[in-house]
Amino acid sequence: MGWKEAAEPVLTRMPAVRRPEGHVPFKRKLAWTAGILMLYFFLTNIQLLGIEAGQADDLFGEFRAVLAGEHMSLLQVGIGPIVTASIVLQLLGGANLLGLDTDDPRDQVLYQGLQKLLVIVMTALTALPMVFAGGFLPAQQSLTLGGFTFDHTQIQLLMFTQIFIGGVLILYMDEVVSKWGVGSGIGLFIIAGVSQRLVTGFIQPTEGGFFYNWYLILTGQMEVGSLVSGDGLYTLLMGDGGQIIALLTTLLIFAIVVYAESVRVEIPLSHARVKGARGRFPVKLIYASVLPMILVRALQANIQFMGQIMYSQLGDSMPSVLGTFGPDGQPVGGFFYYTAPIYSPDDWMWWTGEVAQEAWMVMIRIGVDLTFMVIGGAIFAIFWVETTNMGPDATARQIQNSGMQIPGFRQNVGVIEKVMERYIPQVTVIGGALVGLLAVWANMLGTIGAVTGTGLLLAVSITYKLYEEIAEEQMMEMHPMMREMFGKE
């Protein structure tokens, strides 16, 4: 008996959101999407019951913009377990260790059930060290609710249960959006989190906000001359108060991503039986989208997560080759320092005096981050294309099944696949590497609201694709025959 036969009774019984029967009207899709978004914001504002307020460290830290959720809330783990489970499945699928054929309906059910089971397991494995190890989410010593008094251990169990429930909820919220709404839940949650940080970082007149120094000038608390002399100019351009470079970087990333999304190679298509029916298959420069970047950053987040847990248990007895940590609990040397991403200008501009490490250490860290993001972006882009049926063979079958063909070539799947192989693999690698390079560059210069380069890239690209999907839904709503042609019924 293989693993599929042994696991089938469990995997096929995993709770699932029912697929809609027939066409879902566009307005109803928008209603479901808006409802899930409101629920997401509601859950991020519910603080964990029993937590010791103001003493919790966010293990995800700088990765929070990418992994969504909210620190010390029910959605503490965000989409982290979903992304980690996707990494595991992509690696297993890429090595052909699962033995699942995604074209087989039975294997599709097993794959979806296995993914959900992995997400649930990852949620538990992520929540356990947060609550029970290292004091990352310290629990109160006692708590009285409804006449019952909970001791410290019981409060920890209560907090773990809340985080676990939140992780399962976000899994099914994502599924609701994917089946009944517009786009994907993961993309929606990333847009929500990044947008909130961008707006807050731009308008808040407090330290860390873009208007902070301008607010001090307007209220007479700072003289204009102090901003153009000494450290004032640096503060204005790069510091938390001015952030002019961060603003320019943010705007430039917006422009680059929108432009890159419009750069494409369009392969002409014609209908084999309907004369005059023509179309084009676009192979975009960012063909795999920027979503594989979530997988790369999640892998880095998990490495840093393990480093924090190890340090919380070993303390100063931790081997220096693995990592040395500063008073704030962040790595300042060793493996975990060199594998930590560059989060902001303060992480690499050693000549400003803000960086404690030597120049050569900083350069190694930049080199590792660049290598990780560029090569990792290309590799995960390839995995993404193959597992989401965007590769040359799957695309050729889709074109063939739609009755279309490439003018001047025989109507044959193998012929179409060979034409697609001229473009898709190369564009996938180039696009994945380019997105990784952009993410590191944006992090090095900083972004408004400290959303990180990856978070900003994801938000802009997902918003652009969401706009395209909404436009497509509206077109199909106006022309019902288009739904049948594209198999949307």
Side-chain angles (χ1 to χ4, degrees), residues 145-460:
L145 289 173
F148 294 95
T149 300
F150 297 86
D151 61 24
H152 184 69
T153 303
Q154 291 171 330
I155 296 172
Q156 286 182 312
L157 289 172
L158 177 63
M159 289 171 55
F160 170 80
T161 303
Q162 293 174 79
I163 296 173
F164 181 79
I165 292 173
V168 174
L169 276 176
I170 205 167
L171 167 65
Y172 286 99
M173 287 161 63
D174 170 54
E175 191 172 0
V176 169
V177 175
S178 299
K179 292 181 178 179
W180 290 86
V182 181
S184 72
I186 290 178
L188 186 67
F189 304 146
I190 290 174
I191 292 174
V194 172
S195 300
Q196 186 178 34
R197 286 168 175 254
L198 276 176
V199 173
T200 303
F202 189 76
I203 66 175
Q204 66 179 3
T206 57
E207 189 168 0
F210 174 75
F211 283 113
Y212 177 58
N213 276 335
W214 315 112
Y215 171 77
L216 294 181
I217 293 172
L218 291 174
T219 56
Q221 301 178 51
M222 180 182 292
E223 296 180 1
V224 178
S226 64
L227 290 178
V228 293
S229 61
D231 294 336
L233 186 59
Y234 171 80
T235 302
L236 188 63
L237 292 175
M238 307 292 293
D240 290 337
Q243 300 192 57
I244 290 180
I245 298 298
L247 175 63
L248 294 176
T249 303
T250 302
L251 295 176
L252 195 56
I253 287 293
F254 269 88
I256 290 174
V257 173
V258 171
Y259 174 74
E261 289 284 358
S262 65
V263 175
R264 63 191 69 188
V265 175
E266 293 188 334
I267 301 173
L269 299 174
S270 62
H271 203 281
R273 292 181 296 275
V274 181
K275 187 176 181 179
R278 295 183 177 275
R280 293 180 183 275
F281 181 83
V283 181
K284 295 183 178 181
L285 175 59
I286 309 181
Y287 183 70
S289 79
V290 299
L291 291 178
M293 281 297 102
I294 304 178
L295 305 179
V296 183
R297 282 304 192 199
L299 185 58
Q300 288 182 298
N302 285 325
I303 293 173
Q304 297 302 309
F305 183 55
M306 290 302 299
Q308 294 284 350
I309 294 173
M310 291 176 64
Y311 177 68
S312 70
Q313 299 301 311
L314 300 176
D316 293 335
S317 61
M318 185 173 179
S320 59
V321 69
L322 289 178
T324 54
F325 289 75
D328 59 352
Q330 296 302 313
V332 295
F335 173 78
F336 292 113
Y337 169 75
Y338 293 118
T339 55
I342 298 294
Y343 302 116
S344 68
D346 290 340
D347 289 333
W348 67 278
M349 290 186 175
W350 63 86
W351 60 85
T352 63
E354 298 290 333
V355 181
Q357 289 76 22
E358 298 289 338
W360 65 269
M361 296 177 66
V362 175
M363 296 306 294
I364 291 176
R365 181 180 175 184
I366 293 174
V368 171
D369 196 20
L370 272 171
T371 303
F372 209 102
M373 290 296 287
V374 171
I375 297 179
I379 292 174
F380 276 111
I382 295 171
F383 277 138
W384 186 270
V385 165
E386 292 301 323
T387 56
T388 54
N389 292 325
M390 295 172 62
D393 53 342
T395 301
R397 288 197 300 270
Q398 292 168 11
I399 293 174
Q400 177 79 3
N401 294 337
S402 68
M404 305 295 283
Q405 67 180 39
I406 301 175
F409 293 87
R410 289 185 296 109
Q411 189 181 9
N412 179 277
V413 175
V415 173
I416 299 175
E417 182 179 349
K418 287 183 179 179
V419 174
M420 293 298 171
E421 284 177 346
R422 298 177 187 174
Y423 304 99
I424 291 179
Q426 293 87 342
V427 171
T428 299
V429 172
I430 293 171
L434 175 63
V435 170
L437 184 63
L438 283 174
V440 176
W441 169 70
N443 271 11
M444 291 179 69
L445 294 181
T447 54
I448 293 294
V451 296
T452 73
T454 309
L456 187 60
L457 282 167
L458 287 168
V460 178

Side-chain angles (χ1 to χ4, degrees), residues 73-90:
S73 75
L74 281 180
L75 301 187
Q76 168 72 24
V77 296
I79 63 173
I82 300 176
V83 176
T84 305
S86 297
I87 293 174
V88 173
L89 285 179
Q90 286 208 18

